[in-house]
């Protein structure tokens, strides 16, 4: 299953990549592959912007606008201001999380 | 005095609602540290603790790898209740089997479901489990929020004196915890190397025996039918609790309202089909769309929900006698309002999936919200037109 195409905010800076492969390890959607000792993006549309790759890249070769892909969280953030997060308990807006 | 201090966190946890609350600073960072060395017996030992192991870092509870009926019952409640935080485990270090100084260390969240899935997967192994304080939230969600995070991990490593419990310097962090963890920072601050384990707890034994190596399958998350269905109560419940009662009352009032007062017969006879259509749209968006997610065309959840809703409304109008004599204005209202309601509810399911990202949901909302608002306004106008017509004012 894939979500909307051409929306993911994932950015890759190949010149900073040392090919350690941690992004392949943490990505739950097989977005990356290793080619010629460097990471490559196989399919950006599979990215769900969880931020695992960027947070674990010690060389700053990845950047992503990390966030929750949750309509309730985003609607809440539009109403109350601030970043969308899984804090759905505050209001009874939605008792579900993430 | 010390007793009192230990009791405090547990009491607070009880009152915290699902997904841990905006009041993230509820517990002072140091406050929970005492908890880890607290023999669980002090707070009524949980049934899954089978004994105590003495280590250099103090007594450690040994946990069972067998789940009991009461565990399963709690899982059902975890899946359906709004107050998931009642199902939290005390953070700290636990032992499985008879671990020694060379045994593997696994990191987990203090959500009962996460912890239970892990300990059940550890049958026959001798390992340490370090439970982080994620405010009773599962690994993946907590990692997204940062409560399953670098700081909490480092803090727990120090507060449990993990370095004196094991000789090696490796910890296995669940792969879905990676969004909250910076492996290189953990190593720098604590000396422990983070090894990312598999996505699912059930693969952990194979991962360990393969020498901390995961296959591609173990690293990839899927979203099969059973997982989708298991999450639907958390979509249907809020819709039924928050919107349906108010909607029902409004519809009954609209149909019962006559120039001479409110008539219950009219309210029930004319309003009932619309209450049923309301239920149908909750089912369309909250159950059928998630269940058939990969088979419904289009990637947008709003469109998927709208399609399902439209089909179900057509089906209901065609094959049931309830709506045989529908007024044209009400018919337009029905085809406008109920598919939109289904669409809105289906869009909420983005929060439960394993593959939707924030940018995508933002894009959907940007287009969908104005349409929903316009739909509601037009729906209200249509109901008004219907009422005025029924009263002979048009």
């Amino acid at each position: 299953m894939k979500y909307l195409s051409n929306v993911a905010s994932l950015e890759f800076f190949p010149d900073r990549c040392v090919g350690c492969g941690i992004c392949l390890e943490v990505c739950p959607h097989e977005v990356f592959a290793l080619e010629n000792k460097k990471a490559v993006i196989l399919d950006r549309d599979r990215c769900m912007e969880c931020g695992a790759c960027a947070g674990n890249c010690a060389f700053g070769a990845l950047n992503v606008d990390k966030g929750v892909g949750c309509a309730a969280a985003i609607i809440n953030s539009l109403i109350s201001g601030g970043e969308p997060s899984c804090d759905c308990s505050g209001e009874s807006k939605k008792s579900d999380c993430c | 005095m010390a007793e009192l201090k230990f009791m405090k966190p547990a009491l607070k946890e009880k009152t915290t609602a699902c997904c841990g609350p905006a009041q993230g600073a509820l517990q002072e960072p140091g406050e929970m540290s005492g908890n880890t060395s607290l023999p669980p017996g002090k707070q009524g030992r949980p049934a899954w603790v089978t004994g105590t192991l003495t280590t250099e870092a103090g007594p450690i509870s040994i946990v069972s790898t067998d789940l009991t009926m009461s565990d399963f019952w709690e899982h059902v409640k975890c899946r359906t209740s709004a107050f998931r935080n009642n199902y939290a485990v005390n953070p700290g270090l636990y032992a499985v089997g008879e671990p020694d100084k060379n045994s593997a260390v696994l990191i987990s969240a203090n959500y009962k479901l996460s912890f239970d899935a892990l300990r059940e997967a550890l049958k026959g192994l001798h390992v340490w489990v370090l439970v982080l304080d994620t405010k009773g939230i599962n690994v993946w969600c907590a990692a997204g929020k940062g409560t399953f995070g670098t700081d909490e991990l480092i803090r727990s490593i120090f507060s449990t004196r993990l370095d004196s419990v094991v000789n090696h310097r490796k910890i296995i962090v669940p792969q879905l915890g990676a969004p909250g963890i910076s492996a290189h920072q953990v190593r720098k601050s604590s000396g422990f190397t983070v090894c990312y384990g598999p996505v699912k707890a059930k693969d952990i034994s194979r991962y360990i025996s393969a020498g901390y190596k995961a296959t591609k399958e173990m690293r990839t998350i899927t979203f099969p039918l059973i997982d989708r269905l298991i999450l639907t109560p958390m979509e249907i419940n809020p819709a039924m609790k928050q919107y349906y009662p108010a909607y029902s009352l409004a519809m009954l009032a609209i149909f019962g309202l006559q120039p001479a007062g409110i008539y219950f017969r009219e309210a029930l006879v004319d309003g009932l089909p619309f209450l049923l259509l309301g239920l149908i749209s909750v089912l369309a968006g909250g159950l059928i769309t998630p269940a058939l997610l990969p088979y419904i065309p289009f990637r947008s959840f709003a469109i998927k929900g709208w399609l399902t809703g439209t089909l179900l409304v057509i089906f209901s109008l065609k094959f049931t006698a309830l709506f045989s004599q529908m007024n044209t204005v009400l018919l337009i209202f029905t085809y406008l309002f109920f598919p939109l309601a289904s669409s809105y509810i289906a869009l909420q399911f983005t929060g439960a999936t394993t593959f939707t990202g924030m940018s995508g949901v933002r894009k959907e909302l940007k287009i969908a919200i104005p349409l929903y608002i316009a739909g509601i306004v037009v729906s209200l106008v249509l109901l008004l037109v219907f009422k005025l017509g029924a009263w002979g004012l048009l």
Side-chain angles (χ1 to χ4, degrees):
Chain A
M1 270 173 276
K2 272 196 216 177
Y3 197 38
L4 308 186
S5 33
N6 297 320
V7 289
S9 57
L10 177 68
E11 283 179 293
F12 175 53
F13 310 103
D15 47 318
R16 296 187 201 161
C17 178
V18 298
C20 71
I22 192 141
C23 50
L24 278 75
E25 234 173 76
V26 295
C27 178
H29 287 294
E30 263 193 276
V31 169
F32 304 98
L34 219 49
E35 275 173 19
N36 302 324
K37 293 183 181 168
K38 280 216 185 228
V40 287
I41 294 179
L42 276 184
D43 188 349
R44 189 189 304 270
D45 290 347
R46 283 206 291 253
C47 175
M48 61 173 295
E49 302 174 316
C50 73
C53 57
N56 280 282
C57 180
F59 308 95
L62 286 157
N63 189 27
V64 62
D65 186 9
K66 171 185 170 174
V68 288
C70 169
I74 295 170
I75 293 171
N76 280 347
S77 81
L78 289 177
I79 295 168
S80 62
E83 280 297 297
S85 83
C86 286
D87 281 327
C88 11
S89 55
E91 275 93 29
S92 56
K93 191 73 194 155
K94 189 161 175 268
S95 56
D96 187 14
C97 150
C98 329
Chain B
M1 238 4 244
E3 281 262 341
L4 197 67
K5 209 178 169 197
F6 286 144
M7 290 299 286
K8 259 164 96 188
L11 282 173
K12 279 179 182 171
E13 263 172 31
K14 281 271 183 220
T15 57
T16 326
C18 144
C19 277
Q23 64 270 39
L26 198 64
Q27 282 144 356
E28 293 304 314
E31 202 177 7
M32 291 302 287
S33 59
N35 228 17
T36 53
S37 58
L38 178 72
K42 287 260 166 83
Q43 292 172 15
R45 189 161 109 170
W48 38 265
V49 171
T50 56
T52 310
L53 201 71
T54 313
T55 69
E56 278 179 38
I60 306 279
S61 296
I62 303 172
V63 300
S64 161
T65 53
D66 293 313
L67 300 190
T68 61
M69 275 314 284
S70 81
D71 290 324
F72 285 121
W73 177 231
E74 281 189 359
H75 295 180
V76 171
K77 290 194 281 187
C78 277
R79 291 294 189 193
T80 50
S81 161
F83 295 96
R84 297 181 180 190
N85 216 55
N86 290 341
Y87 309 104
V89 176
N90 269 351
L93 192 60
Y94 292 89
V96 172
E98 292 164 0
D100 58 26
K101 290 205 154 211
N102 299 313
S103 302
V105 179
L106 301 163
I107 312 296
S108 184
N110 78 329
Y111 180 42
K112 186 78 168 33
L113 270 180
S114 312
F115 182 68
D116 283 357
L118 178 60
R119 66 187 173 92
E120 197 186 20
L122 297 178
K123 258 187 196 81
L125 297 180
H126 302 287
V127 296
W128 303 101
V129 176
L130 178 56
V131 175
L132 304 190
D133 180 15
T134 58
K135 317 288 176 199
I137 298 169
N138 72 68
V139 172
W140 208 9
C141 290
K145 277 168 71 91
T147 41
F148 188 103
T150 307
D151 293 345
E152 168 63 12
L153 177 55
I154 294 168
R155 196 193 63 73
S156 301
I157 289 172
F158 285 122
S159 71
T160 59
R161 295 171 55 205
L162 189 61
D163 60 336
S164 65
V165 177
V166 290
N167 285 333
H168 63 82
R169 290 292 174 264
K170 274 186 182 171
I171 47 175
I172 302 173
V173 173
Q175 187 190 330
L176 293 186
I181 305 281
S182 282
H184 51 282
Q185 278 175 28
V186 174
R187 188 177 191 171
K188 213 189 282 172
S189 304
S190 71
F192 279 86
T193 301
V194 171
C195 305
Y196 284 109
V199 163
K200 294 206 168 230
K202 67 172 177 62
D203 294 325
I204 199 79
S205 178
R206 278 197 297 152
Y207 171 83
I208 293 175
S209 54
Y212 291 20
K213 287 215 159 50
T215 61
K216 213 174 227 178
E217 285 69 38
M218 291 186 205
R219 290 246 172 267
T220 313
I221 189 148
T222 52
F223 200 35
L225 178 65
I226 183 73
D227 288 5
R228 299 197 299 271
L229 284 180
I230 231 169
L231 292 162
T232 56
M234 292 310 263
E235 304 302 318
I236 297 169
N237 278 353
M240 289 307 290
K241 276 188 201 147
Q242 284 164 37
Y243 304 118
Y244 197 69
Y247 162 79
S248 301
L249 275 179
M251 289 317 270
L252 290 177
I254 287 168
F255 284 101
L257 194 66
Q258 303 295 330
I262 289 193
Y263 286 82
F264 286 102
R265 212 189 74 87
E266 272 75 8
L268 281 178
V269 174
D270 297 339
L272 196 64
F274 291 90
L275 299 198
L276 287 175
L277 279 167
L279 275 183
I280 286 168
S281 39
V282 171
L283 284 182
L287 179 68
I288 298 176
T289 308
L292 301 178
L293 203 60
Y295 313 107
I296 303 171
F298 299 101
R299 290 184 181 180
S300 151
F301 280 54
I303 299 179
K304 281 176 191 278
W306 185 85
L307 275 178
T308 314
T310 305
L311 281 176
L312 249 78
V313 168
I314 293 175
F315 191 84
S316 313
L317 293 187
K318 241 196 158 69
F319 297 102
T320 59
L322 264 178
F323 317 106
S324 53
Q325 292 174 339
M326 184 85 85
N327 170 296
T328 312
V329 178
L330 286 183
L331 205 61
I332 299 170
F333 164 78
T334 299
Y335 278 112
L336 174 72
F337 183 78
F338 296 105
L340 281 186
S342 167
S343 165
Y344 179 79
I345 295 166
L347 192 46
Q348 304 297 308
F349 196 65
T350 50
T353 69
T354 59
F355 63 98
T356 53
M358 187 168 69
S359 301
V361 177
R362 276 214 168 111
K363 186 176 174 186
E364 283 214 62
L365 286 173
K366 219 173 173 176
I367 302 166
I369 286 180
L371 288 177
Y372 294 145
I373 293 173
I376 288 172
V377 171
V378 175
S379 296
L380 289 173
V381 170
L382 286 170
L383 286 177
L384 187 71
V385 169
F386 163 74
K387 277 321 274 188
L388 292 176
W391 293 345
L393 295 173
L394 275 186

